[in-house]
């Protein structure tokens, strides 16, 4: 039973297209995240949602729009794709920091290639 | 802005040798995490360090945290090929659970 699952795993598309990546977690976590990993393996947070509410929105182009229909799902929609958007996008989830460890659990990643 | 630096960035070591990876961070934090990533795979949690002086060990890996020095170490004892991967530290500055990851250390263990 996969804890954090993302679809699709691979995405190849042309510049200018719009695409979405979906993420679901079955761990009962309160917080979900999108991270971007570039070609040098550097990981950077993009967005974070807590119980469907946006709490972190890093300096990301507004072509990227996250949506959380419920606390178990966090989707990422990207408009007008550019070459520089090529990366691996990781979804992650955790319990609230509160009395918990705050440990993140990651999905398998979605490798986006923009041609 | 929180900065997290790891060194070395790349480490090639022989099986059976010991080595240490260092993680330095720029702001106060009492929570630090270590993750492992195999090529083309997800990130797997290795250690959660939640206080100054915390030490955790699993197999050939041992992690420690010194919050006063803003330093964590990941020590590898008698390396084996299966440990080849990229290792990341990540620091929680206590603000909205915003983990900041280090640059990663790519470890290659050779026979």
């Amino acid at each position: 039973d996969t804890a954090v699952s993302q679809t699709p795993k691979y995405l190849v598309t042309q510049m200018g297209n719009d695409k979405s990546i979906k993420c679901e977690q079955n761990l009962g976590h309160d917080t979900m995240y999108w991270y971007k990993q570039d070609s040098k393996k550097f990981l950077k947070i993009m967005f974070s949602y807590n119980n469907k509410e946006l709490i972190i929105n890093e300096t990301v182009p507004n072509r990227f729009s996250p949506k959380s229909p419920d606390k178990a799902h966090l989707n990422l929609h990207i408009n007008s794709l550019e070459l520089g958007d090529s990366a691996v996008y990781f979804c992650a989830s955790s319990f609230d920091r509160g009395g918990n460890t705050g440990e993140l659990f990651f999905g398998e990643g979605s490798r986006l290639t923009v041609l | 802005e929180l900065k997290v630096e790891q060194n070395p960035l790349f480490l090639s070591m022989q099986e059976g040798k010991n080595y240490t990876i260092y993680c330095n961070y720029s702001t106060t934090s009492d929570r630090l995490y270590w993750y492992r990533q195999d090529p083309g795979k997800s990130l797997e949690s290795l250690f959660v360090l939640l206080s100054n002086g915390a030490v955790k060990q699993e197999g050939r890996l041992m992690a420690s945290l010194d919050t006063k020095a803003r330093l964590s170490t990941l020590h590898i004892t008698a390396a084996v090929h299966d440990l080849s991967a990229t290792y990341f530290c990540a620091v929680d500055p206590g603000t909205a659970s915003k983990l900041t990851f280090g640059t990663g250390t790519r470890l290659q263990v050779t026979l």
Side-chain angles (χ1 to χ4, degrees):
Chain A
D1 227 13
T2 307
V4 182
S5 58
Q6 297 178 228
T7 54
K9 197 167 178 180
Y10 299 97
L11 204 47
V12 180
T13 189
Q14 301 284 335
M15 269 199 311
N17 284 350
D18 304 339
K19 289 293 175 188
S20 292
I21 307 171
K22 296 187 175 184
C23 179
E24 176 181 2
Q25 56 95 3
N26 63 6
L27 297 168
H29 287 161
D30 310 287
T31 307
M32 294 185 73
Y33 311 79
W34 280 111
Y35 277 84
K36 178 179 180 181
Q37 187 172 45
D38 63 23
S39 57
K40 294 182 180 175
K41 304 293 184 195
F42 187 64
L43 271 159
K44 189 166 168 56
I45 190 166
M46 299 173 70
F47 302 103
S48 172
Y49 271 76
N50 181 276
N51 281 313
K52 302 193 296 176
E53 183 183 341
L54 181 65
I55 54 170
I56 293 173
N57 183 351
E58 288 298 284
T59 311
V60 175
N62 58 15
R63 298 181 294 102
F64 290 78
S65 51
K67 275 202 174 67
S68 181
D70 56 61
K71 77 173 198 175
H73 295 84
L74 179 63
N75 304 322
L76 182 66
H77 187 76
I78 316 169
N79 288 327
S80 304
L81 279 156
E82 299 178 358
L83 292 176
D85 298 333
S86 296
V88 181
Y89 294 85
F90 284 99
C91 176
S93 68
S94 71
F95 286 115
D96 282 347
R97 193 179 188 271
N100 300 294
T101 66
E103 184 182 6
L104 262 58
F105 292 80
F106 284 84
E108 293 289 311
S110 296
R111 180 177 293 275
L112 172 65
T113 303
V114 182
L115 303 174
Chain B
E1 183 187 333
L2 172 59
K3 293 205 184 310
V4 182
E5 291 181 351
Q6 288 181 234
N7 71 82
L9 296 183
F10 177 72
L11 175 57
S12 180
M13 58 190 296
Q14 285 184 317
E15 274 202 336
K17 299 290 187 186
N18 304 332
Y19 209 82
T20 300
I21 299 170
Y22 297 88
C23 173
N24 289 91
Y25 53 97
S26 62
T27 193
T28 303
S29 174
D30 60 359
R31 292 188 174 215
L32 191 137
Y33 308 80
W34 283 96
Y35 288 86
R36 168 182 171 145
Q37 186 179 32
D38 291 304
K41 301 290 185 184
S42 182
L43 283 89
E44 173 193 353
S45 178
L46 292 175
F47 299 108
V48 178
L49 303 168
L50 298 178
S51 60
N52 185 38
V55 177
K56 294 270 181 83
Q57 181 160 6
E58 180 75 34
R60 301 173 189 273
L61 300 177
M62 183 171 73
S64 66
L65 177 61
D66 180 343
T67 59
K68 291 180 180 156
R70 298 179 186 172
L71 170 69
S72 179
T73 61
L74 180 66
H75 186 73
I76 303 148
T77 302
V80 291
H81 181 68
D82 284 353
L83 290 178
S84 297
T86 299
Y87 293 85
F88 292 92
C89 64
V91 177
D92 180 352
T95 307
S97 300
K98 183 178 163 183
L99 277 192
T100 298
F101 280 78
T103 44
T105 296
R106 187 173 150 227
L107 173 66
Q108 186 176 66
V109 181
T110 57
L111 296 169

